[in-house]
Amino acid sequence: MTNINEIMEAMAKEGYTMEAIEVIKNGTELKGYTFKKEGYNIAPTLYDIEGKSIQELIDQVNNLYKTLPHNFNAKKYLSIEHFKQNATACLQKPGHEDIVKKDFLDMEEYIRLVVESDREGMGSIKIKAEHLEVIGLSIEEAFKYAEENAKADAESEGILEVMAKLGMDIDTLPLDAPQMIILSNKNRVNGASAILNTDKIKAICKQYHAKGCYILPSSIHECIIHTDADIDNKTIYDEMVNNVNTTVVTDAEILSNHSYYFDADTMKFIY
């Protein structure tokens, strides 16, 4: 593995100052490296530098800087108008981050504000109390706008639809069996908050003639709905969530370690 000091020396020759930082993402402490450059008041941070060659890292940082403005003006994004259109509610594991947050079931709901979006990707920040002071919104107002946007952005797609798009044969699958539906947002990033849209979940239950359903948080980015109305099956779905978390999902993207049952009549979650 390439020595960190060697990487720092190589980055310095390219005009970058490399600094180690520790941040909390979704309740998980991560070690990253920020690459600063003279003439810019913002800098990218990388968390996955292990296993990469020095040249790969140089190319990655160079490409990131091509998308950054020289003078990032945060104030232009901290307006009520921008917030109303670009804030969204997100979910993560409970943690100790200094951000605006509240409980949703046994998870933590917070607000993310998109500040830059183009074909290269999307930049966003987690909202803190000082941001709301500049914007001029109360916490209650901020969550109201963020939740409205998250609910409007919610999308669902059945597993059978996905399989059909991939050219797989679905004619032999029993359509009267409990179905699996992916629930997320349009860009599939931090989309697990789509479960805030309980009207949509109820509509899915109605579509499949189910009195309730199980919601499996597969990550912070999406949930899987199983149209199984038997509340006694919860242990089975809890095991499924734990298995996925253990074998597939990284710690920084795990949302919950169990399933949630949604009663379509009362529109309440049981967990």
Side-chain angles (χ1 to χ4, degrees), residues 2-271:
T2 306
N3 185 281
I4 291 296
N5 289 330
E6 292 178 357
I7 298 176
M8 287 184 170
E9 290 176 6
M11 285 295 175
K13 292 178 181 178
E14 296 291 324
Y16 299 114
T17 300
M18 181 177 166
E19 296 180 0
I21 63 168
E22 290 185 352
V23 298
I24 297 175
K25 296 188 72 174
N26 188 31
T28 301
E29 189 174 284
L30 298 177
K31 185 175 182 178
Y33 294 89
T34 296
F35 298 85
K36 298 181 179 180
K37 187 175 183 179
E38 189 174 348
Y40 290 81
N41 61 354
I42 57 172
T45 300
L46 301 182
Y47 301 95
D48 56 349
I49 72 171
E50 291 187 8
K52 292 184 178 180
S53 68
I54 290 178
Q55 191 56 53
E56 286 176 325
L57 290 170
I58 290 173
D59 291 342
Q60 186 175 4
V61 173
N62 283 339
N63 289 331
L64 286 170
Y65 265 96
K66 290 177 182 178
T67 68
L68 297 179
H70 278 270
N71 291 296
F72 179 75
N73 182 9
K75 288 187 177 180
K76 77 174 185 178
Y77 300 106
L78 298 179
S79 67
I80 291 179
E81 292 75 17
H82 184 85
F83 187 93
K84 286 182 179 180
Q85 295 179 16
N86 296 280
T88 189
C90 298
L91 297 176
Q92 64 180 14
K93 293 180 295 187
H96 303 288
E97 284 182 270
D98 181 22
I99 55 175
V100 172
K101 56 189 176 181
K102 67 177 182 178
D103 293 335
F104 176 75
L105 305 179
D106 59 344
M107 296 171 278
E108 187 172 273
E109 181 182 347
Y110 70 97
I111 301 171
R112 188 174 286 277
L113 179 66
V114 174
V115 294
E116 290 286 350
S117 182
D118 55 32
R119 290 181 299 177
E120 300 295 329
M122 180 177 66
S124 62
I125 59 174
K126 289 183 175 182
I127 290 296
K128 298 184 177 183
E130 52 261 40
H131 295 145
L132 294 184
E133 290 179 10
V134 175
I135 295 170
L137 289 173
S138 66
I139 292 177
E140 292 75 17
E141 291 171 326
F143 272 111
K144 173 180 176 292
Y145 292 125
E147 289 175 358
E148 286 175 353
N149 289 339
K151 291 176 182 179
D153 200 35
E155 288 192 342
S156 61
E157 186 174 28
I159 295 295
L160 293 182
E161 298 174 51
V162 175
M163 293 172 65
K165 288 180 181 179
L166 295 174
M168 301 174 68
D169 182 15
I170 63 172
D171 293 337
T172 59
L173 297 176
L175 297 178
D176 58 343
Q179 302 295 309
M180 292 192 296
I181 297 95
I182 301 171
L183 186 64
S184 186
N185 54 20
K186 292 181 175 66
N187 60 24
R188 298 295 192 268
V189 177
N190 293 302
S193 57
I195 65 172
L196 294 170
N197 192 336
T198 51
D199 287 332
K200 189 171 188 66
I201 300 174
K202 181 173 183 176
I204 290 172
C205 291
K206 183 177 180 180
Q207 178 183 350
Y208 292 99
H209 309 289
K211 294 182 179 180
C213 65
Y214 283 93
I215 297 173
L216 282 62
S218 52
S219 74
I220 58 174
H221 302 301
E222 66 178 29
C223 293
I224 305 295
I225 293 178
H226 283 246
T227 58
D228 181 352
D230 190 345
I231 194 169
D232 293 329
N233 288 338
K234 190 173 188 306
T235 301
I236 297 173
Y237 291 108
D238 286 349
E239 291 176 354
M240 291 174 65
V241 173
N242 269 302
N243 182 56
V244 171
N245 285 348
T246 302
T247 60
V248 180
V249 188
T250 63
D251 287 344
E253 296 196 339
I254 291 175
L255 179 57
S256 176
N257 289 315
H258 60 83
S259 64
Y260 300 81
Y261 181 79
F262 177 79
D263 188 308
D265 292 328
T266 64
M267 296 183 72
K268 299 292 185 182
F269 293 93
I270 299 173
Y271 59 97

